[in-house]
Amino acid sequence: MTQLTTSNDTLPSSPDLRNVLTTGVRKTTLENGLTILLKAVHTAPVVSVQVWYRVGSRNEVPGLNGITHQLEHLMFKGTQSRPVQFGKLFSALGSASNAFTSYDMTAYYNTVGSDKLETLLILEADRMQNVLLTADQLASEKRVVISELQGYENSPDYRLSKGVMQQAFPHSNYGLPVGGTKADVEQFTLAQVQNYYQTYYQPSNATLVITGDFEPALVLEQIQTYFGPIPSTPVATEANPYTVTAPTSSAPLTLKEPGSAALFDAVYPLPDAQHPDIPALEILDSILSAGRNSRFYPALIESGLATHATAYVAALMDSGWYNISVTAAAPLPEVEQVVEATLEQLRSQPIAAEELERAKTQLKAGFILSNREIENQASQLAYNQIVTGDHCFSDRYLAGIEAVTPEDVLRVAQTYLTPTQRTLGFFEPTQFEGQPIGGIPATQTTEDFTPSEPVDPAQVARYLPDLPHVEGSDTQTLPERFQLDNGLTVLLLTDHSTPTVTLSGLLRAGNEWDYLTLAGVASLTADNLMSGTTRQDDLALAKALEDRGASLDFLSLREGVDISGYALSPDLPVMLETLADVLQQATFPQHLLDLSRQRMLTHLQLELDDPGSLARRMFQQKIYTQNHPFHGFPTANSLKNISREGILRFYQQHYCPANLILTLVGDFEVAAVRSQLEQTLGKWHNPESPAALNFPDPQLPNTIQRFQAPLPGKAQVVTYMGYPGIERHHPLYYAAMLLNQIIGGDTLSSRLGTEIRDRQGLTYGIYSYFAAGLHAGPFAIQMQTSPEDTQQAISSTIALLKQVKTEGITTSELQTAQRSILNSYPVDLADPDTLAQRLLMNEVLGLPIAEIRQLPQRIAAITMADIDQAIQSLIHPDRLVIVSAGPVE
């Protein structure tokens, strides 16, 4: 029996919120060096299983930039004993699975029902030692990785950041792009990839983290069984000492390329994650950039110099950096002067006590709110262990935050954020073509790219151990539902597992109403709700939330305004008071409305310069006629012509309690919340009754229609293809869910993913969806491709749809899709955000409150006859609208 070394953290008598993450964590080290972190959380029957390897782009040598990322892709290709795409195995388990590569680590994570835990351990142990690396797989996945990298190159932000980082860290791998470069990726050999895998994918270089509903003693035995026999050798991954290197040039790196908005990017080198100055730097960042009461907001946003400004501290194994990014609305040198003047204030005088306390509260509350889900808890524990060697590092970090003084912030500003240490970058757009008018029609070619035979799910299933039969569960707790006297609907569901509350709401005042007025009025109204009320100005509204680390946001979508809020449970009353105030008494000050309009105009330029956004907009306008509410999108002219009077009129007409549904999930007492809602939102009365919208039935095109939108300076083409689909109450909705899962619901396990991505290597990502809401949204397939691969990918997709239309699917495919959705459903509901959103949307769509329980039974009841009917009714490969945007040929 292999010897274990184990430590079990002592449970405190009264847990400190700062230690809520690490309380109860059991750390174990196997004889082969594998680090294991186990934390039992019995709030839902799900577990998160994550394997993190201490290898990232920092370990790469010249000529091999991106090999860590390339290997991450290949880790899904199968093993010697399971030569099958692992995405299909994870999908069969209903796992929320993915992976990422970063500077210091590569991580693989899965969240599944608790009864699938042992299966995941078997799979992860298998690919830790037995990944099947072949020349054919490497060649195919190189194309996929290059597609991914070129997709990043579509973004001016990415290109500018890449250049600035290379200049800021000329002698460090942190200056190289994590994903690699096309030139290096093309040259990778099979021997290099195999050697990299054998060097770094060792138990001694890995951390296995499991959080969720499990019995630690039993799981530890299973880990020993599957991981204990894996041999291991030491891996040299020691951190390099931090040194400050002066930039090679004080002049800004300037990119003059096609684009839509001017960008500012600044990087300041920082020490590593464990340096004692990091907490003070995090406080400094919060004071500079967090919320309307930050220093950057009045200096850059309220002044009209910028439409967007963000900053962050990156703290890694070897060193780190502070990054400031600004989307400019004024000349870049002027933006630079204001940023530097704002930093000089921090370098010259101590911060106010109020600023310090607000920053501390925001950071501590943000940490707790971001670690509500077991998946995030596992990731934070793994990050702590990989980067610092101590899974309890976040406790020290939070204690460090608490101890920061104004003098500390002054000192770190003077030490690190000086002009002599800064690397600066400017992006100056050279041209912007504006919105294409109608698009460029393209001739439909006649190539016939015949798809391969579909992968038999039975062949996939034989690589999995026997799994328990899945049946729909009716154990999900239902919320308490009630209506206030004014018609406002409320759903309340208590969950005392964490001291947090999630608010999710929808107000029927979304973009669909733009059809009756100027496009953009719904978005401008929602965007300015927090700009002031008859009681408070915008800074006071924001301060009430920011002083507590709470948030409240409004986003106008097609069928309603999405309302999202997060708070620690003691701060829920303040969040609800703020919500009630802005929904009833918003004043829309003209000067803030003008700034918001400018932000939207800049955002519109960015959208029209982004292949994905442009293709989506054109696709929507091609499948819905001009008299349909889903056709319209804001334009520069429509935004400029919206007046404050028009917004006030829209607010008075559509912001009424009968149009609002609120859902609260979290740590509260129902009676107390209901009483507060009655005292605040219950007194809201609006006599306006908006007219009903006319939604004409959208029509399928008679033939395939192809449109192209050329965009200069891009590397990848984004294509949307489809036609009008169905609404949520359509009798074939559940069959359509399953059919979509098979066709393109998951890039790694669907037919489209298997054919277009895995076999042909034409795209990094391809997926399909039915946007079924209150009204019929589109059925759409979306993909990104290199220009030379676009036509083949489109033709292959059409051929695959024809294959489904003529040959149907197999019983095994249906059963696999059913199991996948049924297995993933409890995983979805374990996330408080997803649970709150599902409860909300079921109510919005007029579904019974028990639908949250009944959906699994409805999915399980779908038959092959139902699927055949859905195929014939909903799949139309000869009547597609196809829109491609980017460097189209």
Side-chain angles (χ1 to χ4, degrees):
M1 183 71 168
T2 304
Q3 296 297 312
L4 309 179
T5 60
T6 301
S7 66
N8 194 19
D9 295 348
T10 303
L11 296 178
S13 56
S14 56
D16 187 330
L17 285 181
R18 292 177 303 176
N19 303 325
V20 68
L21 173 70
T22 57
T23 296
V25 175
R26 180 174 183 175
K27 180 179 179 180
T28 302
T29 304
L30 297 187
E31 191 176 69
N32 60 13
L34 178 66
T35 300
I36 302 159
L37 302 174
L38 304 179
K39 181 180 181 181
V41 183
H42 301 293
T43 55
V46 299
V47 292
S48 185
V49 178
Q50 304 187 15
V51 181
W52 288 48
Y53 294 91
R54 206 166 188 239
V55 58
S57 57
R58 71 181 287 275
N59 302 95
E60 295 166 359
V61 298
L64 293 181
N65 181 211
I67 195 169
T68 317
H69 176 233
Q70 180 72 72
L71 180 56
E72 176 223 309
H73 277 241
L74 292 167
M75 288 288 287
F76 285 86
K77 289 298 215 177
T79 64
Q80 295 173 20
S81 57
R82 294 179 176 84
V84 63
Q85 164 62 256
F86 263 46
K88 296 181 183 297
L89 302 179
F90 296 141
S91 178
L93 299 176
S95 174
S97 65
N98 214 324
F100 71 84
T101 303
S102 189
Y103 296 95
D104 294 338
M105 76 284 291
T106 308
Y108 304 84
Y109 48 97
N110 286 271
T111 303
V112 297
S114 301
D115 56 345
K116 316 297 188 312
L117 171 54
E118 185 174 10
T119 300
L120 281 183
L121 294 177
I122 293 170
L123 295 177
E124 291 295 359
D126 189 16
R127 66 174 175 172
M128 181 179 281
Q129 59 184 327
N130 299 316
V131 163
L132 187 62
L133 301 173
T134 69
D136 287 345
Q137 287 177 340
L138 176 59
S140 173
E141 205 63 24
K142 277 184 183 182
R143 296 184 71 181
V144 172
V145 167
I146 290 171
S147 173
E148 179 183 359
L149 298 179
Q150 290 179 328
Y152 299 152
E153 293 286 344
N154 277 350
S155 166
D157 301 71
Y158 174 82
R159 302 199 300 272
L160 179 61
S161 176
K162 183 176 70 171
V164 170
M165 286 295 290
Q166 288 174 341
Q167 189 164 298
F169 296 96
H171 307 298
S172 167
N173 281 0
Y174 287 164
L176 300 177
V178 170
T181 63
K182 182 175 182 286
D184 277 3
V185 170
E186 288 176 333
Q187 299 303 317
F188 293 156
T189 67
L190 181 61
Q192 288 171 329
V193 175
Q194 288 173 331
N195 180 67
Y196 204 77
Y197 171 65
Q198 292 162 3
T199 300
Y200 291 106
Y201 278 66
Q202 304 273 352
S204 62
N205 202 43
T207 296
L208 169 62
V209 185
I210 305 174
T211 55
D213 186 30
F214 64 94
E215 173 52 50
L218 173 61
V219 169
L220 194 57
E221 291 181 3
Q222 294 171 341
I223 293 171
Q224 174 61 60
T225 298
Y226 302 120
F227 288 87
I230 301 175
S232 185
T233 57
V235 178
T237 58
E238 291 78 10
N240 296 316
Y242 164 70
T243 57
V244 176
T245 303
T248 56
S249 172
S250 60
L253 167 71
T254 302
L255 300 183
K256 296 183 178 182
E257 299 173 354
S260 58
L263 304 174
F264 167 100
D265 195 66
V267 167
Y268 300 79
L270 298 180
D272 65 86
Q274 300 195 70
H275 195 282
D277 284 345
I278 295 299
L281 286 161
E282 292 280 12
I283 292 285
L284 179 150
D285 171 57
S286 184
I287 290 168
L288 275 176
S289 65
R292 293 197 183 207
N293 286 276
S294 67
R295 296 201 178 184
F296 276 157
Y297 190 84
L300 293 170
I301 307 302
E302 278 194 337
S303 67
L305 294 177
T307 59
H308 190 62
T310 61
Y312 68 88
V313 173
L316 305 176
M317 286 175 60
D318 292 343
S319 61
W321 58 87
Y322 188 60
N323 176 260
I324 302 171
S325 300
V326 179
T327 302
L332 287 168
E334 187 175 347
V335 171
E336 177 195 359
Q337 291 174 5
V338 172
V339 169
E340 174 55 28
T342 307
L343 295 178
E344 175 58 27
Q345 286 181 329
L346 284 173
R347 294 194 296 262
S348 60
Q349 51 188 299
I351 60 173
E354 181 184 18
E355 285 183 300
L356 178 62
E357 289 309 308
R358 180 187 304 122
K360 288 182 178 181
T361 300
Q362 288 174 334
L363 288 168
K364 290 183 291 186
F367 183 85
I368 295 168
L369 289 165
S370 65
N371 285 294
R372 292 168 300 156
E373 303 89 354
I374 60 168
E375 182 177 292
N376 287 5
Q377 292 180 35
S379 296
Q380 184 65 56
L381 289 168
Y383 171 86
N384 290 350
Q385 183 65 36
I386 291 290
V387 174
T388 72
D390 176 13
H391 72 279
C392 293
F393 170 73
S394 55
D395 296 343
R396 290 191 280 125
Y397 165 79
L398 290 171
I401 292 292
E402 190 62 48
V404 171
T405 66
E407 292 73 24
D408 292 328
V409 176
L410 179 66
R411 176 178 52 78
V412 297
Q414 294 171 343
T415 303
Y416 302 106
L417 302 190
T418 65
T420 59
Q421 292 176 289
R422 177 189 67 183
T423 299
L424 190 59
F426 290 169
F427 179 86
E428 298 178 358
T430 56
Q431 62 185 45
F432 176 65
E433 300 296 339
Q435 181 181 0
I437 306 300
I440 302 173
T443 303
Q444 179 62 42
T445 59
T446 59
E447 291 95 340
D448 179 19
F449 294 98
T450 304
S452 62
E453 287 299 312
V455 176
D456 185 357
Q459 293 298 313
V460 176
R462 71 188 182 94
Y463 296 116
L464 291 169
D466 291 336
L467 299 173
H469 177 67
V470 180
E471 293 184 355
S473 170
D474 60 358
T475 59
Q476 171 61 48
T477 304
L478 299 180
E480 178 173 328
R481 179 189 184 278
F482 59 90
Q483 275 193 331
L484 302 182
D485 291 342
N486 57 12
L488 192 157
T489 302
V490 181
L491 303 172
L492 300 179
L493 181 62
T494 57
D495 175 6
H496 301 295
S497 61
T498 64
T500 64
V501 180
T502 298
L503 179 148
S504 187
L506 189 124
L507 180 73
R508 288 297 304 278
N511 300 341
E512 62 188 6
W513 293 100
D514 284 355
Y515 172 64
L516 297 180
T517 180
L518 290 168
V521 67
S523 292
L524 263 176
T525 304
D527 193 51
N528 281 274
L529 289 174
M530 294 288 291
S531 292
T533 68
T534 55
R535 295 176 55 244
Q536 305 176 85
D537 64 16
D538 63 320
L539 295 181
L541 285 168
K543 187 175 184 296
L545 298 171
E546 291 169 5
D547 281 356
R548 295 164 174 82
S551 64
L552 187 61
D553 295 294
F554 303 87
L555 177 65
S556 185
L557 304 174
R558 187 63 61 178
E559 292 190 329
V561 175
D562 177 78
I563 305 171
S564 60
Y566 305 94
L568 299 180
S569 46
D571 302 319
L572 174 59
V574 174
M575 184 167 66
L576 292 179
E577 288 168 7
T578 304
L579 175 67
D581 192 14
V582 301
L583 288 178
Q584 298 174 73
Q585 302 180 77
T587 54
F588 305 99
Q590 184 68 56
H591 71 289
L592 294 181
L593 176 61
D594 291 340
L595 289 173
S596 176
R597 186 199 324 273
Q598 183 57 51
R599 287 196 299 270
M600 289 189 67
L601 286 167
T602 301
H603 182 69
L604 174 62
Q605 286 184 313
L606 293 169
E607 279 193 339
L608 297 180
D609 187 49
D610 174 72
S613 299
L614 178 58
R616 181 67 177 81
R617 170 187 282 241
M618 287 185 60
F619 173 72
Q620 184 104 359
Q621 292 187 319
K622 294 300 180 184
I623 63 175
Y624 294 104
T625 54
Q626 290 187 357
N627 64 340
H628 194 287
F630 286 1
H631 177 88
F633 285 85
T635 66
N637 285 336
S638 70
L639 290 172
K640 290 174 182 176
N641 287 324
I642 296 171
S643 65
R644 178 173 180 269
E645 290 72 25
I647 286 180
L648 284 169
R649 186 164 55 250
F650 186 88
Y651 178 69
Q652 292 160 1
Q653 289 176 343
H654 299 285
Y655 280 64
C656 57
N659 277 351
L660 178 61
I661 300 171
L662 286 180
T663 300
L664 286 166
V665 174
D667 182 31
F668 54 80
E669 298 301 325
V670 170
V673 172
R674 180 166 185 163
S675 175
Q676 186 185 10
L677 288 171
E678 289 172 343
Q679 290 299 312
T680 54
L681 287 166
K683 298 179 179 181
W684 180 17
H685 294 286
N686 187 344
E688 294 279 355
S689 54
L693 282 172
N694 175 39
F695 282 82
D697 291 334
Q699 301 298 312
L700 290 171
N702 293 323
T703 60
I704 290 178
Q705 298 179 6
R706 179 81 186 275
F707 303 91
Q708 295 181 346
L711 282 177
K714 306 304 176 184
Q716 284 270 291
V717 177
V718 175
T719 298
Y720 275 83
M721 50 198 303
Y723 38 75
I726 58 174
E727 47 87 22
R728 177 60 178 83
H729 289 276
H730 194 285
L732 291 174
Y733 172 75
Y734 297 102
M737 276 185 67
L738 288 162
L739 179 59
N740 183 68
Q741 177 72 13
I742 294 165
I743 292 175
D746 184 316
T747 291
L748 294 183
S749 65
S750 65
R751 282 202 185 186
L752 283 172
T754 299
E755 178 66 23
I756 313 301
R757 184 191 192 278
D758 269 8
R759 189 175 81 87
Q760 298 190 40
L762 299 176
T763 178
Y764 167 61
I766 183 169
Y767 61 93
S768 64
Y769 61 89
F770 284 95
L774 286 166
H775 303 281
F779 168 70
I781 297 170
Q782 187 269 339
M783 71 181 87
Q784 72 171 50
T785 54
S786 297
E788 63 272 17
D789 292 335
T790 301
Q791 184 55 55
Q792 181 178 346
I794 290 172
S795 298
S796 297
T797 299
I798 294 173
L800 189 145
L801 292 177
K802 289 180 178 179
Q803 182 187 63
V804 171
K805 183 79 169 183
T806 57
E807 301 176 19
I809 66 163
T810 66
T811 301
S812 182
E813 282 183 300
L814 170 58
Q815 293 171 346
T816 298
Q818 287 172 317
R819 281 195 298 269
S820 178
I821 291 176
L822 294 176
N823 282 329
S824 66
Y825 193 61
V827 176
D828 293 342
L829 299 187
D831 180 344
D833 286 354
T834 304
L835 175 59
Q837 190 68 16
R838 280 187 177 269
L839 291 170
L840 171 71
M841 292 312 299
N842 285 348
E843 181 68 30
V844 168
L845 294 165
L847 299 169
I849 198 168
E851 170 69 14
I852 197 88
R853 289 179 173 175
Q854 295 169 352
L855 184 139
Q857 285 79 19
R858 301 189 195 281
I859 291 295
I862 295 299
T863 66
M864 283 295 291
D866 297 325
I867 293 292
D868 290 341
Q869 184 180 359
I871 290 172
Q872 297 310 312
S873 299
L874 305 177
I875 302 302
H876 307 288
D878 296 322
R879 306 179 72 178
L880 293 160
V881 171
I882 304 172
V883 177
S884 296
V888 293
E889 294 183 345

